[in-house]
Amino acid sequence: DVKVTQSSRYLVKRTGEKVFLECVQDMDHENMFWYRQDPGLGLRLIYFSYDVKMKEKGDIPEGYSVSREKKERFSLILESASTNQTSMYLCASSPGQGRQYFGPGTRLTVT
Amino acid sequence: AQSVTQLDSQVPVFEEAPVELRCNYSSSVSVYLFWYVQYPNQGLQLLLKYLSGSTLVESINGFEAEFNKSQTSFHLRKPSVHISDTAEYFCAVSDRGGSYIPTFGRGTSLIVHP
């Protein structure tokens, strides 16, 4: 079974802090994604990566950056956390054709 | 560009009743279609997918969906729901032309009452 893990299930940070969310997949997928999920808005794509050191902006990249130094690991960085970044963050990996494997999610609260 | 519309944000039903969760999409090219399920405080799990072949696809827990190309729909059905089916359901579409980025609907919350 494909496994996608995320570094934390719950996280509480203060406004202005730098926040790192990490995601690891074990199936050698080239494509990895970061989404945020908010009630009534569904999943919104923040960034994706189709190869090591490659990244592309999604629909809502403002306030976020990403890093992919190894194929299995894709990190999401909040440079200076703000309260409007309180959300559920979901990582996914994909072998192609649109099928995605999701991690359990990180519920981030910024106070 | 493609889009996905899930027509109902919330569907309440009683246990053992049938249910249909509606999904319509628009795309200028041929597509792959997916339904994902999300239980509380978990990530999304693939429920079923249409890639090619039979337009009726089934999951192991009794759900089925039918790809209707003329109506650009991929509605999810179950003849008899259980309490444990209470979850958020997401429809997604990706194009066959090489893009690997799916577009998700906003989700439908299925609430099964005893």
Side-chain angles (χ1 to χ4, degrees):
Chain A
D1 269 359
V2 174
K3 193 164 186 183
V4 180
T5 57
Q6 295 184 227
S7 49
S8 304
R9 292 301 305 275
Y10 300 93
L11 209 52
V12 179
K13 294 292 182 181
R14 294 194 181 274
T15 302
E17 279 193 84
K18 191 169 186 176
V19 181
F20 293 88
L21 303 182
E22 294 204 320
C23 175
V24 178
Q25 52 100 357
D26 66 357
M27 278 300 290
D28 204 36
H29 290 163
E30 294 187 344
N31 310 310
M32 296 188 73
F33 305 79
W34 275 107
Y35 296 91
R36 64 176 283 176
Q37 181 182 16
D38 300 288
L41 298 179
L43 276 68
R44 291 182 290 169
L45 182 62
I46 304 171
Y47 268 96
F48 64 98
S49 169
Y50 52 89
D51 203 351
V52 175
K53 296 192 186 294
M54 306 303 286
K55 59 186 178 184
E56 294 285 345
K57 292 180 180 179
D59 300 319
I60 52 163
E62 295 78 20
Y64 304 94
S65 61
V66 290
S67 172
R68 194 164 180 202
E69 297 296 318
K70 293 185 178 182
K71 192 173 187 179
E72 67 270 19
R73 189 179 299 268
F74 191 35
S75 300
L76 179 70
I77 303 152
L78 286 66
E79 296 290 343
S80 177
S82 64
T83 54
N84 63 12
Q85 293 179 309
T86 291
S87 187
M88 170 73 102
Y89 289 88
L90 293 167
C91 174
S93 71
S94 175
Q97 292 185 329
R99 196 257 196 260
Q100 298 200 322
Y101 296 82
F102 285 85
T106 296
R107 190 167 294 280
L108 172 67
T109 302
V110 182
T111 61
Chain B
Q2 55 213 14
S3 65
V4 177
T5 302
Q6 291 185 243
L7 294 158
D8 305 294
S9 60
Q10 203 172 78
V11 174
V13 293
F14 286 106
E15 196 172 18
E16 298 183 6
V19 71
E20 178 180 80
L21 306 185
R22 296 178 292 170
C23 173
N24 286 91
Y25 70 91
S26 67
S27 177
S28 57
V29 298
S30 297
V31 297
Y32 301 119
L33 294 156
F34 307 86
W35 275 101
Y36 289 86
V37 59
Q38 184 181 33
Y39 299 104
N41 294 315
Q42 295 186 24
L44 278 68
Q45 306 170 32
L46 183 70
L47 188 60
L48 44 76
K49 61 186 177 186
Y50 170 76
L51 301 181
S52 64
S54 172
T55 56
L56 183 66
V57 291
E58 299 177 353
S59 72
I60 58 173
N61 58 352
F63 284 94
E64 64 178 31
E66 185 159 21
F67 169 47
N68 188 319
K69 188 175 181 180
S70 62
Q71 297 187 1
T72 60
S73 67
F74 191 54
H75 300 332
L76 182 70
R77 301 183 183 95
K78 190 171 185 179
S80 176
V81 295
H82 302 288
I83 295 285
S84 59
D85 292 323
T86 295
E88 191 86 12
Y89 292 80
F90 292 91
C91 181
V93 60
S94 67
D95 71 64
R96 292 175 177 266
S99 168
Y100 43 77
I101 306 169
T103 299
F104 287 85
R106 292 193 172 191
T108 297
S109 179
L110 175 62
I111 302 168
V112 182
H113 297 288

